[in-house]
Structures are given as C-alpha cells and as structure tokens.
Amino acid sequence: MSQVFFATGGTELTRSFDATTPRNWYVCTTPDTTRTFSEFQNGNWSAAFVFWGSPTGQVDNFNAQTFVNQIRNTTPQTPFFLIVPSQYASQATQWQRETGASGYIIWNNTTPSEFINQVRTVLTQYNIEAA
C-alpha cells in the first residue's frame, strides 16, 4: 500500500484530517522545517503533500520552499503536491511551476471528508494507490 506524507507545518490544516483519514497517510504536525524533514526521512513515501500557506511558503517556523528543496535533493523520484489555501488559488499554477510540484490542491478549510476526497482524486490521477 502506498505511504503518503503530509507536511502541515503544524498549521490549521491539521484539522482537515480525522478518523476517516487512511492509516497509510502520515500527517506530520511538527511546526518547523528541520523536524518535518527529519520525519520525512524516516519513511518510504509514494507521495508527499506540502502546505504552501503564504506567497513565500513560510508559515511560522515551517518553510515549504526549503522543505521542497530538501525532498527534491534527497528523493527526487517522490512526487509532491502543494496544498494551497483558497485565498492564493490564483497563484497555485505559478507556484506549481516554480517548485516543480506534480500538482496542487486548493484548500478552503473544507470538511475532512471533502479534503480527503480531493487528495484521493489527485493520487488516483497519478496512479498512486490512495487507500
């Protein structure tokens, strides 16, 4: 079964996961880049989703740009997807291009089931077993 990593930066995005979240999805709630990357290195991931919460990717002590660069340098074969808050939806395509992400999800603080379905749809599009 595919293992999927979610780098949330410890933000409010963590509320988008609940008891219906597949067990093979790991939601990293660590609020800083270094520890998030350390947790990422402890697994064998089929895909990663990265919360890109601001135009720079910086939210508190989590820098999505730095994290993306780290995973691209160490595991370039792992596809990653951005999770972009709805207020930045118009910039999502540009950020995808700039980061080399495989795709993105627009997050509008939906219910956990809606969010999980969005993630499953993206994983299915990339032939990654979504669970």
Side-chain angles (χ1 to χ4, degrees):
M1 180 160 314
S2 298
Q3 301 293 313
V4 182
F5 185 91
F6 291 84
T8 68
T11 64
E12 69 274 10
L13 173 65
T14 58
R15 291 192 306 265
S16 292
F17 300 92
D18 67 6
T20 65
T21 302
R23 290 195 176 131
N24 60 316
W25 294 8
Y26 178 71
V27 182
C28 178
T29 59
T30 303
D32 68 79
T33 313
T34 303
R35 289 188 298 165
T36 299
F37 184 63
S38 178
E39 289 195 31
F40 179 82
Q41 287 183 298
N42 288 331
N44 183 19
W45 310 106
S46 299
F49 285 80
V50 182
F51 184 63
W52 199 278
S54 72
T56 62
Q58 182 80 36
V59 177
D60 298 326
N61 292 321
F62 178 72
N63 187 303
Q65 181 65 66
T66 300
F67 180 75
V68 162
N69 289 342
Q70 290 171 321
I71 64 174
R72 285 176 52 207
N73 288 336
T74 58
T75 57
Q77 73 282 4
T78 302
F80 69 92
F81 304 87
L82 304 180
I83 301 172
V84 179
S86 59
Q87 68 263 34
Y88 301 117
S90 64
Q91 297 170 273
T93 303
Q94 175 186 341
W95 294 346
Q96 176 188 355
R97 235 184 354 265
E98 290 172 354
T99 62
S102 298
Y104 61 85
I105 289 176
I106 301 300
W107 178 68
N108 60 2
N109 213 356
T110 58
T111 66
S113 62
E114 290 176 275
F115 177 74
I116 289 166
N117 285 337
Q118 288 179 306
V119 171
R120 281 188 168 125
T121 299
V122 168
L123 291 172
T124 299
Q125 289 172 346
Y126 286 86
N127 294 321
I128 299 168
E129 186 181 342

